[in-house]
Amino acid sequence: MTTKRGRVRVEPGAKRVRAYLGGVPVADTVAPLLVWETPHYPAYYFPAADVRAEMLVPDGEVRHSPSRGDAAVHTVAAGGRTAPGGALHYADSPIEELRGHYRFEWGAMDAWFEEDEEVFVHPRDPYTRVDILPSSRRIRVEIDGVTVAESDAPRLLFETGLPVRYYLPKPHVRMDLLERTDSATGCPYKGTAEYWSARVGGALHPDVAWSYATPLPESRSIAGLVCFYNERVDTYADGVLMPRPAD
C-alpha cells in the first residue's frame, strides 16, 4: 500500500535493511519503510522496535517538515563512534505510517546493507532499472569537430529516468587527449566513477568522461569502459548525430 502526502510517498519494503556505526548494527529490520522525500530515490525508515534505542541520545532539537511533521533529533553512539544528529524520530507524524519510526542520516552511518549486500550512496529505488546491452552500433564521439572515440563494440547503458549512455573500450578512445582528474562520483547501482577531462585544440573540457574501474556486480560489464557526457559532446550512432540531452 502506498501513502502520499504532498510530495512525500511512503511504501512498505520487503528487504532486510541494516545501518551500522562503529561496526555495530544500530538498526536492523525486515519491515522498512521506503519514503520518497525527494523524487529521485527513497530513504529508509525503521520501526522503533528494530532500533537500538540505548545507542540514541536526544539532542533536544526538533526538526520540522511541512509534510512529515516534527522529528526529535538524536545523536547516535556505537562502537566508539558518535554521529551527532544522526537519527530523527517521528513520534507523531501527520503521515500515520511514519509514527514511531526512525530515520538515520545516510552519510552519518558507516555502512548500510540490503540483506547481506552493502549498499552505497543512497538506498536503491525499486522503480529504477539498469540494463547494459552489447551493441554493434558504430558510435563516434566528437569534441569541437575532433573524433575522440569511435567504436563498433559499445555497451549501451539504459537507466530509468536518464539518457542512454555509451560505454566504449579504451583502445577505441583517444586516451592521449584525456587527462585524469581527482573527481569521483558514486552510484548505488554502478559503484565509484573516475573522471577525465579532454584537451582538444588547446581547449580544456573538464570532467567530460568517466569510467568504473571496479563497478558493482550488477554493472560489471562496463568495467574499464569509457563514457562521455553526451550532454557535452557530439555523439553519432551509425552516422546519425544524436540529440544532446539537457545538461
Side-chain angles (χ1 to χ4, degrees):
M1 177 179 170
T2 301
T3 298
K4 282 189 173 183
R5 178 182 170 89
R7 63 185 177 89
V8 174
R9 186 169 97 246
V10 180
E11 292 183 8
K15 298 173 183 175
R16 180 188 182 190
V17 177
R18 285 171 286 173
Y20 281 75
L21 182 65
V24 177
V26 297
D28 183 348
T29 186
V30 293
L33 291 179
L34 294 167
V35 182
W36 279 262
E37 303 164 346
T38 68
H40 307 297
Y41 55 84
Y44 283 127
Y45 280 61
F46 293 82
D50 296 331
V51 171
R52 299 280 296 276
E54 74 275 12
M55 297 178 177
L56 274 62
V57 179
D59 289 355
E61 178 189 347
V62 173
R63 196 169 298 172
H64 178 73
S65 163
S67 53
R68 288 166 281 147
D70 292 332
V73 181
H74 290 68
T75 289
V76 186
R81 298 199 57 195
T82 59
L88 303 177
H89 181 224
Y90 289 87
D92 192 25
S93 172
I95 302 176
E96 184 176 353
E97 289 84 348
L98 300 187
R99 294 174 191 167
H101 281 69
Y102 286 84
R103 178 195 188 279
F104 290 83
E105 296 291 346
W106 187 272
M109 300 295 103
D110 288 343
W112 292 80
F113 285 81
E114 292 177 350
E115 297 297 336
D116 288 345
E117 182 170 302
E118 190 169 1
V119 185
F120 303 93
V121 185
H122 59 71
R124 292 167 171 152
D125 188 328
Y127 298 103
T128 292
R129 181 184 176 100
V130 177
D131 292 309
I132 303 169
L133 304 177
S135 176
S136 57
R137 288 201 241 176
R138 189 161 193 85
I139 302 300
R140 187 172 82 256
V141 178
E142 291 186 359
I143 297 177
D144 293 343
V146 175
T147 297
V148 295
E150 189 167 10
S151 178
D152 56 6
R155 290 191 180 270
L156 275 54
L157 188 146
F158 302 87
E159 184 172 345
T160 305
L162 294 176
V164 59
R165 298 300 190 190
Y166 305 95
Y167 282 80
L168 312 176
K170 282 182 180 176
H172 301 170
V173 177
R174 287 283 308 274
M175 299 301 294
D176 58 305
L177 299 178
L178 301 186
E179 300 175 4
R180 179 73 182 274
T181 76
D182 293 330
S183 299
T185 57
C187 170
Y189 314 104
K190 299 185 288 292
T192 300
E194 55 191 19
Y195 281 78
W196 286 269
S197 296
R199 191 174 295 276
V200 179
L204 185 67
H205 300 263
D207 289 338
V208 74
W210 70 88
S211 180
Y212 292 91
T214 54
L216 296 174
E218 62 265 40
S219 298
R220 60 183 174 269
S221 62
I222 58 169
L225 304 184
V226 177
C227 185
F228 289 83
Y229 273 112
N230 34 347
E231 295 91 337
R232 307 179 194 173
V233 301
D234 291 323
T235 305
Y236 293 81
D238 290 334
V240 177
L241 177 63
M242 299 288 98
R244 288 192 182 190
D247 198 345

